[in-house]
Structure formats: C-alpha cells, structure tokens
C-alpha cells in the first residue's frame, strides 16, 4: 500500500469529465527485427505479465478516504485482470499517419476507470502506409494517470520494459499475493495523524518559501495593474471540449546540435523552444493573429537530485515559464533571446526553490490541496484568457541514443498525447531517441482544427533555423580563415649603395 503525495493527489483532484489528467504514451515499432519477423499479441501480453513487478501501480487501484480528509491510497486490486488493461485493435486500410493520429487522439480523450488500476494499453496494428515506418509496423499506446507517474518516472519505466538487443529474454511472472486494503476506521485515524504532521511540515516549508512567494505574487500583481504584464491573450487560452488532436515530426539530433552551436550559450531546450516559437509565429500569422507581444511557455522541471531518486511512480516536478520570442523573425536572435529569458527563469526558480516548492505541494494537507486544486481550475492553470501567464506547455523527456527493443521489435518512435484542460490547450512534447529529436503537438479541435498544419510549421521553423545556423557557421569559418591567412605585400626592390650612372 502506498499513499499519494500532495502533488500526486493534485492531478487526481484536477480531473474533470471533459479533461482528465492522464497521458497517452505512443510507441512505434518495426517487428522485422523480432524472431521470425513477427510479434504476436500474446507475446506482448506475456512480456507485460512477466514485468508487472517493475511498477507497483500496475496492480494497484485507488482507495479514497471518506470526505477526502486525507490523500488517497494505492492498494492491491484483488480482482486484477490483465486482459482488461491490455487491448488489441487495428487501423482500417490504408493505415496512414493521419488515421493513426486520429485513433490515438480518440483513445487519449476517453477517461480512465478510476475504480481499476490507473492504466490501459492498446496494441495497434495495420500501420502500413506511414512514410517513416516499414510496412507491418505496429504501435503500443499506454494510457497512464498523472497521479501515479510523471514524465521522468515514465521514462524510467519505459527503459526497464525494453532491452538493448533484439534477443527475447526468457521471463517468468513473479508470484504476487494481493494485500488486504485497510478498514475505514484505520484510514480515518491515519488521516488525523497525517494532517497534523503535514501541517507541521507545511509550516516549515512556508517559513522558507512563503516570503519569496509573497514577493513574487506582489510583483505579478503590480505588473498586471500597471500594464507591464506582457503575456498576450491568444486562441490557446480558451475553453476546450472532450476531443483531442495530435500530430508530430522528427528531426536529426545532429542538426539540432549544429543549430545550438551557432548560438553561443544556448541549450538544447532553448533551441527546441526557439523552434516551437518559430512554428507558432508561422501558425498565428497564417491565421492573421498577432505574434507580439511574445507568447510564453510553461516548462516542467524535474527536481530529482540524486540517482537514488529514480523511480517508476509518483511525481517530483516544478515549473518555470519563458517567452518563446514569437516577436523575433530572425531564428538565431530568437534562440539568444530565449536563452536569456530561460536563464532568468531558472534564477527565479532557484531563488524560490523548485525543490522546496515540490516539497510544499507534497506535504500540504489533503483538504487544503483539494481546495487549491479547485482554485487552480478556476484560474485555468494560469492560462486564464483575461490574465494569462502562459500560452502553451513544452515538456522535454530525453531518451537513450541507442536502439531499444520490445520482444525483439525495434522501437522507432516514442512520444505522448498530453493531458489538457481549459486555458491549458496546447502541449508540445519533446523527446530524443537514437539520434532523432521528436516533437509532437496535442491540442483540441476548438483550438487547433489543423494539427497537420502545426506539424508543417514545426518542419519549416526547423529548416529555417538550420539554414541560419549553416550561414552563421560558413561566415564564422570564412572569418577564421581570413584571420589565419597572412597578407602578402609586394616585394621591395633592393637599392644599390653604388650611385647609378648618369645618362649621356
């Protein structure tokens, strides 16, 4: 049995009928590398069965405390049924990328059954007409609630479920006996103790963080009152329905490094943010909507500090915001401006203490966190169209730069259909894997009716940035060559010491 932390439970409290806080992991595979070139559904089912012990939440369901007096628990599901959680579907012909994106969006839009363990898996075959996939490719879509896992923990779980060679290891399921759930009286007595202890811990965290938060809130209030608040109102700060849209692109990671090198001091995250900024600039201009003042992005930060904190469940994240400089046309100038902005945001985050903020949310008493979550919903996650503090979210989960395999099938692509809600309607998920950068976009049809066009804007923004970096590299190389090449001066005539003869 494990109790959710305050930060975990917050994602549960933020659930709405049209906007659940689960994510959908997207994995695409080439089965030609598997033994005999075929992966059967029963092979995947057997593999998952043998690895259920890697993440305890696989077989745990929610147990809520009466009146929400304490955070929910994850307890063993004594009626756990793997066949309910792992499902098998196929795309209709021709099985192209657009059909797959629509199918992934539909699966992502449906809420999870909160009376069962908080995950589902869909094996999707029939991806026979996707230009970057071999014929016979298949997908695994894994839906997980954010209350039991964050992006970093999910990445850890992903790598543990895969191998580095196509050889299929022999595995046997570990013996599992479900533990009995606690009685109601036990839950209530624990709630009384936990709330008293949480109040002490929260008071200690507030003593450190409170004055800094108050100062920041005061500055934001003054900026809003004096018109200095620069985050614009955009189409991305509206309300959404229950449908989702999804698309994505891939770029060579070596090209990203070359772009980064052309902007001294910039990081990979700065470069990705600049690509997204350029894409949004294109998208909004095509809609004849303003790109000034610059749009701002919310960026989650992993606050795990030690290798020992790696885990396959729970949440340990904070957030920062940064301008995407959609107001700057030149791509390299945009990277430099974003780097300056993110550096300041990181300084603010360190000053407030991202780790302390995470601890504060983890230890806040359950009734307080429930109320805070409802207030957060009223404020549209800071994306309220009246006074927005961000226009989109960019989340980066780096992956290994070598191939991975699942029951012999080579992993070619992984990303996520991200959770959304009112005011929080545009999400760019960034991942890197085996020499490629993958950027996907999640939104709602009310906000982005044309996700394929957003993907096109991402490709054009990347191409523009690559050309600018190549020009800068060529110019720098020419300048360096010119500095190294000595200037040749005409040779002087040697003057004889003997006077020349006078002409006749």
């Amino acid at each position: 049995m494990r109790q959710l932390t305050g930060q975990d439970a917050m994602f549960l409290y933020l659930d709405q009928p049209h906007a659940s806080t689960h994510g959908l992991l997207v994995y695409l595979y080439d089965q030609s590398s598997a033994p005999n070139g075929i992966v059967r559904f029963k092979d995947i089912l057997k593999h998952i069965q043998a690895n259920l012990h890697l993440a305890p939440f696989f077989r745990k369901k929610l147990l809520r405390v009466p009146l929400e007096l304490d955070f929910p628990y994850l307890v063993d599901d004594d009626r756990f049924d793997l066949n309910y959680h792992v499902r098998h579907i196929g795309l209709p012909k021709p099985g192209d990328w657009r059909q797959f994106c629509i199918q992934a969006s539909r699966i992502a839009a449906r809420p999870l059954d909160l009376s069962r363990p908080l995950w589902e898996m869909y094996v999707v075959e029939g991806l026979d007409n996707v230009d970057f996939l071999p014929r016979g490719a298949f997908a695994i879509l894994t839906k997980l609630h954010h209350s039991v896992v964050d992006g970093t923990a999910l990445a850890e779980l992903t790598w543990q479920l895969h191998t580095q060679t196509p050889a299929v290891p022999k595995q046997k399921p570990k013996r599992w006996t479900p533990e009995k759930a606690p009685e109601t009286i036990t839950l209530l007595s624990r709630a009384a103790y936990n709330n008293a202890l949480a109040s002490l811990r929260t008071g200690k965290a507030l003593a450190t963080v409170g004055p800094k938060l108050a100062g920041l809130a005061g500055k934001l209030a003054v900026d809003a009152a004096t018109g200095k608040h620069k985050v614009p109102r955009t189409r991305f700060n509206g309300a959404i329905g229950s449908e989702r849209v999804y698309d994505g692109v891939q770029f060579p990671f070596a090209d990203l490094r070359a772009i980064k090198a052309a902007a001294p001091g910039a990081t990979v995250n700065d470069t990705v943010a600049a690509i997204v900024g350029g894409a949004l600039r294109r998208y909004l201009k095509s809609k004849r909507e303003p790109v000034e003042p610059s749009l701002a992005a919310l960026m989650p930060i992993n606050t795990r500090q030690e290798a020992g904190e790696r885990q396959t469940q729970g949440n340990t994240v904070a957030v920062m915001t940064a301008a995407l400089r959609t107001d700057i046309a030149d791509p390299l100038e945009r990277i430099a401006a974003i780097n300056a902005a993110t550096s300041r945001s990181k300084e603010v985050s360190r000053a407030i203490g991202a780790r302390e903020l995470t601890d504060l949310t983890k230890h806040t008493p359950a009734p307080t966190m429930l109320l805070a979550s409802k207030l957060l919903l009223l404020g549209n996650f800071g994306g309220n169209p009246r006074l927005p503090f961000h226009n989109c979210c960019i989340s980066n989960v780096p992956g290994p730069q070598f191939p991975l395999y699942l029951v012999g099938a080579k992993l070619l692509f992984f990303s996520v259909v991200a959770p959304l809600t009112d005011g929080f309607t545009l999400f760019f998920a960034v991942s890197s894997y085996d020499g490629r950068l993958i950027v996907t976009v999640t939104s709602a049809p009310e906000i982005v009716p044309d996700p394929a066009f957003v993907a096109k804007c991402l490709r054009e923004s990347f191409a523009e940035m690559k050309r600018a970096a190549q020009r800068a590299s060529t110019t720098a190389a020419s300048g360096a060559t010119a500095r190294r090449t000595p200037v040749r001066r005409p040779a002087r005539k040697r003057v004889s010491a003997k006077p020349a003869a006078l002409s006749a």
Side-chain angles (χ1 to χ4, degrees), residues 30-40 135-136 138 407-409:
D30 174 13
Q31 64 177 329
S32 65
S33 59
N36 302 318
I38 296 175
V39 174
R40 301 186 186 279
R135 189 173 180 82
F138 69 94
V407 290

PDB file of all heavy atoms in Angstrom, residues 30-40 135-136 138 407-409:
ATOM      1  N   ASP A  30       9.135  -1.557 -35.302  1.00  0.00           N
ATOM      2  CA  ASP A  30       9.387  -2.347 -36.505  1.00  0.00           C
ATOM      3  C   ASP A  30       9.555  -3.794 -36.058  1.00  0.00           C
ATOM      4  O   ASP A  30      10.523  -4.133 -35.362  1.00  0.00           O
ATOM      5  CB  ASP A  30      10.661  -1.841 -37.205  1.00  0.00           C
ATOM      6  CG  ASP A  30      11.079  -2.710 -38.378  1.00  0.00           C
ATOM      7  OD1 ASP A  30      10.270  -3.562 -38.814  1.00  0.00           O
ATOM      8  OD2 ASP A  30      12.216  -2.534 -38.862  1.00  0.00           O
ATOM      9  N   GLN A  31       8.622  -4.661 -36.456  1.00  0.00           N
ATOM     10  CA  GLN A  31       8.670  -6.042 -35.980  1.00  0.00           C
ATOM     11  C   GLN A  31       9.593  -6.941 -36.810  1.00  0.00           C
ATOM     12  O   GLN A  31       9.789  -8.108 -36.459  1.00  0.00           O
ATOM     13  CB  GLN A  31       7.269  -6.634 -35.935  1.00  0.00           C
ATOM     14  CG  GLN A  31       6.570  -6.775 -37.270  1.00  0.00           C
ATOM     15  CD  GLN A  31       5.211  -7.441 -37.114  1.00  0.00           C
ATOM     16  OE1 GLN A  31       5.003  -8.261 -36.223  1.00  0.00           O
ATOM     17  NE2 GLN A  31       4.274  -7.066 -37.978  1.00  0.00           N
ATOM     18  N   SER A  32      10.172  -6.405 -37.879  1.00  0.00           N
ATOM     19  CA  SER A  32      11.035  -7.247 -38.726  1.00  0.00           C
ATOM     20  C   SER A  32      12.288  -7.714 -37.985  1.00  0.00           C
ATOM     21  O   SER A  32      12.912  -8.700 -38.374  1.00  0.00           O
ATOM     22  CB  SER A  32      11.441  -6.484 -39.993  1.00  0.00           C
ATOM     23  OG  SER A  32      12.251  -5.372 -39.685  1.00  0.00           O
ATOM     24  N   SER A  33      12.671  -7.007 -36.906  1.00  0.00           N
ATOM     25  CA  SER A  33      13.857  -7.409 -36.145  1.00  0.00           C
ATOM     26  C   SER A  33      13.562  -8.524 -35.140  1.00  0.00           C
ATOM     27  O   SER A  33      14.490  -9.095 -34.556  1.00  0.00           O
ATOM     28  CB  SER A  33      14.425  -6.196 -35.392  1.00  0.00           C
ATOM     29  OG  SER A  33      13.443  -5.658 -34.512  1.00  0.00           O
ATOM     30  N   ALA A  34      12.299  -8.840 -34.925  1.00  0.00           N
ATOM     31  CA  ALA A  34      11.912  -9.868 -33.958  1.00  0.00           C
ATOM     32  C   ALA A  34      12.185 -11.268 -34.523  1.00  0.00           C
ATOM     33  O   ALA A  34      12.329 -11.436 -35.745  1.00  0.00           O
ATOM     34  CB  ALA A  34      10.432  -9.727 -33.613  1.00  0.00           C
ATOM     35  N   PRO A  35      12.265 -12.280 -33.681  1.00  0.00           N
ATOM     36  CA  PRO A  35      12.428 -13.656 -34.174  1.00  0.00           C
ATOM     37  C   PRO A  35      11.336 -14.016 -35.180  1.00  0.00           C
ATOM     38  O   PRO A  35      10.146 -13.796 -34.923  1.00  0.00           O
ATOM     39  CB  PRO A  35      12.303 -14.492 -32.893  1.00  0.00           C
ATOM     40  CG  PRO A  35      12.743 -13.564 -31.803  1.00  0.00           C
ATOM     41  CD  PRO A  35      12.279 -12.208 -32.208  1.00  0.00           C
ATOM     42  N   ASN A  36      11.757 -14.484 -36.351  1.00  0.00           N
ATOM     43  CA  ASN A  36      10.858 -14.826 -37.461  1.00  0.00           C
ATOM     44  C   ASN A  36      10.137 -13.611 -38.050  1.00  0.00           C
ATOM     45  O   ASN A  36       9.218 -13.755 -38.858  1.00  0.00           O
ATOM     46  CB  ASN A  36       9.811 -15.870 -37.024  1.00  0.00           C
ATOM     47  CG  ASN A  36      10.449 -17.150 -36.508  1.00  0.00           C
ATOM     48  OD1 ASN A  36      11.418 -17.646 -37.089  1.00  0.00           O
ATOM     49  ND2 ASN A  36       9.917 -17.669 -35.415  1.00  0.00           N
ATOM     50  N   GLY A  37      10.547 -12.420 -37.624  1.00  0.00           N
ATOM     51  CA  GLY A  37       9.988 -11.189 -38.189  1.00  0.00           C
ATOM     52  C   GLY A  37       8.550 -10.905 -37.789  1.00  0.00           C
ATOM     53  O   GLY A  37       7.882 -10.082 -38.413  1.00  0.00           O
ATOM     54  N   ILE A  38       8.059 -11.555 -36.745  1.00  0.00           N
ATOM     55  CA  ILE A  38       6.661 -11.394 -36.329  1.00  0.00           C
ATOM     56  C   ILE A  38       6.581 -11.246 -34.811  1.00  0.00           C
ATOM     57  O   ILE A  38       7.238 -11.987 -34.068  1.00  0.00           O
ATOM     58  CB  ILE A  38       5.797 -12.595 -36.767  1.00  0.00           C
ATOM     59  CG1 ILE A  38       5.741 -12.689 -38.294  1.00  0.00           C
ATOM     60  CG2 ILE A  38       4.384 -12.489 -36.204  1.00  0.00           C
ATOM     61  CD1 ILE A  38       5.009 -13.922 -38.791  1.00  0.00           C
ATOM     62  N   VAL A  39       5.788 -10.278 -34.365  1.00  0.00           N
ATOM     63  CA  VAL A  39       5.451 -10.141 -32.940  1.00  0.00           C
ATOM     64  C   VAL A  39       3.952 -10.371 -32.799  1.00  0.00           C
ATOM     65  O   VAL A  39       3.150  -9.682 -33.435  1.00  0.00           O
ATOM     66  CB  VAL A  39       5.824  -8.742 -32.409  1.00  0.00           C
ATOM     67  CG1 VAL A  39       5.334  -8.584 -30.968  1.00  0.00           C
ATOM     68  CG2 VAL A  39       7.325  -8.515 -32.479  1.00  0.00           C
ATOM     69  N   ARG A  40       3.591 -11.346 -32.004  1.00  0.00           N
ATOM     70  CA  ARG A  40       2.177 -11.652 -31.803  1.00  0.00           C
ATOM     71  C   ARG A  40       1.665 -10.958 -30.541  1.00  0.00           C
ATOM     72  O   ARG A  40       2.426 -10.674 -29.620  1.00  0.00           O
ATOM     73  CB  ARG A  40       1.968 -13.164 -31.703  1.00  0.00           C
ATOM     74  CG  ARG A  40       2.445 -13.910 -32.936  1.00  0.00           C
ATOM     75  CD  ARG A  40       2.082 -15.382 -32.867  1.00  0.00           C
ATOM     76  NE  ARG A  40       2.660 -16.119 -33.996  1.00  0.00           N
ATOM     77  CZ  ARG A  40       2.122 -16.160 -35.215  1.00  0.00           C
ATOM     78  NH1 ARG A  40       0.990 -15.505 -35.438  1.00  0.00           N
ATOM     79  NH2 ARG A  40       2.696 -16.835 -36.182  1.00  0.00           N
ATOM     80  N   ARG A 135       6.534  -1.266 -43.638  1.00  0.00           N
ATOM     81  CA  ARG A 135       5.229  -1.938 -43.710  1.00  0.00           C
ATOM     82  C   ARG A 135       5.157  -3.024 -42.625  1.00  0.00           C
ATOM     83  O   ARG A 135       6.127  -3.737 -42.374  1.00  0.00           O
ATOM     84  CB  ARG A 135       5.044  -2.565 -45.093  1.00  0.00           C
ATOM     85  CG  ARG A 135       3.640  -3.100 -45.324  1.00  0.00           C
ATOM     86  CD  ARG A 135       3.464  -3.564 -46.764  1.00  0.00           C
ATOM     87  NE  ARG A 135       2.129  -4.085 -47.006  1.00  0.00           N
ATOM     88  CZ  ARG A 135       1.062  -3.338 -47.257  1.00  0.00           C
ATOM     89  NH1 ARG A 135       1.196  -2.022 -47.309  1.00  0.00           N
ATOM     90  NH2 ARG A 135      -0.124  -3.879 -47.457  1.00  0.00           N
ATOM     91  N   GLY A 136       4.016  -3.134 -41.995  1.00  0.00           N
ATOM     92  CA  GLY A 136       3.865  -4.112 -40.923  1.00  0.00           C
ATOM     93  C   GLY A 136       4.215  -3.563 -39.547  1.00  0.00           C
ATOM     94  O   GLY A 136       4.202  -4.317 -38.563  1.00  0.00           O
ATOM     95  N   PHE A 138       3.808  -1.669 -35.950  1.00  0.00           N
ATOM     96  CA  PHE A 138       2.690  -1.620 -35.016  1.00  0.00           C
ATOM     97  C   PHE A 138       2.995  -0.597 -33.928  1.00  0.00           C
ATOM     98  O   PHE A 138       4.135  -0.130 -33.773  1.00  0.00           O
ATOM     99  CB  PHE A 138       2.397  -2.998 -34.412  1.00  0.00           C
ATOM    100  CG  PHE A 138       3.464  -3.512 -33.476  1.00  0.00           C
ATOM    101  CD1 PHE A 138       3.376  -3.301 -32.104  1.00  0.00           C
ATOM    102  CD2 PHE A 138       4.548  -4.234 -33.966  1.00  0.00           C
ATOM    103  CE1 PHE A 138       4.341  -3.783 -31.244  1.00  0.00           C
ATOM    104  CE2 PHE A 138       5.526  -4.728 -33.114  1.00  0.00           C
ATOM    105  CZ  PHE A 138       5.423  -4.497 -31.742  1.00  0.00           C
ATOM    106  N   VAL A 407      10.226  -7.343 -26.988  1.00  0.00           N
ATOM    107  CA  VAL A 407      10.066  -8.710 -27.509  1.00  0.00           C
ATOM    108  C   VAL A 407      10.638  -8.820 -28.928  1.00  0.00           C
ATOM    109  O   VAL A 407      10.032  -9.418 -29.818  1.00  0.00           O
ATOM    110  CB  VAL A 407       8.596  -9.182 -27.450  1.00  0.00           C
ATOM    111  CG1 VAL A 407       8.180  -9.400 -26.018  1.00  0.00           C
ATOM    112  CG2 VAL A 407       7.624  -8.213 -28.117  1.00  0.00           C
ATOM    113  N   GLY A 408      11.807  -8.225 -29.140  1.00  0.00           N
ATOM    114  CA  GLY A 408      12.522  -8.319 -30.407  1.00  0.00           C
ATOM    115  C   GLY A 408      12.199  -7.232 -31.404  1.00  0.00           C
ATOM    116  O   GLY A 408      12.945  -7.037 -32.369  1.00  0.00           O
ATOM    117  N   ALA A 409      11.095  -6.490 -31.239  1.00  0.00           N
ATOM    118  CA  ALA A 409      10.713  -5.439 -32.180  1.00  0.00           C
ATOM    119  C   ALA A 409      11.456  -4.154 -31.842  1.00  0.00           C
ATOM    120  O   ALA A 409      11.514  -3.735 -30.677  1.00  0.00           O
ATOM    121  CB  ALA A 409       9.207  -5.202 -32.129  1.00  0.00           C
TER     122      ALA A 409
END
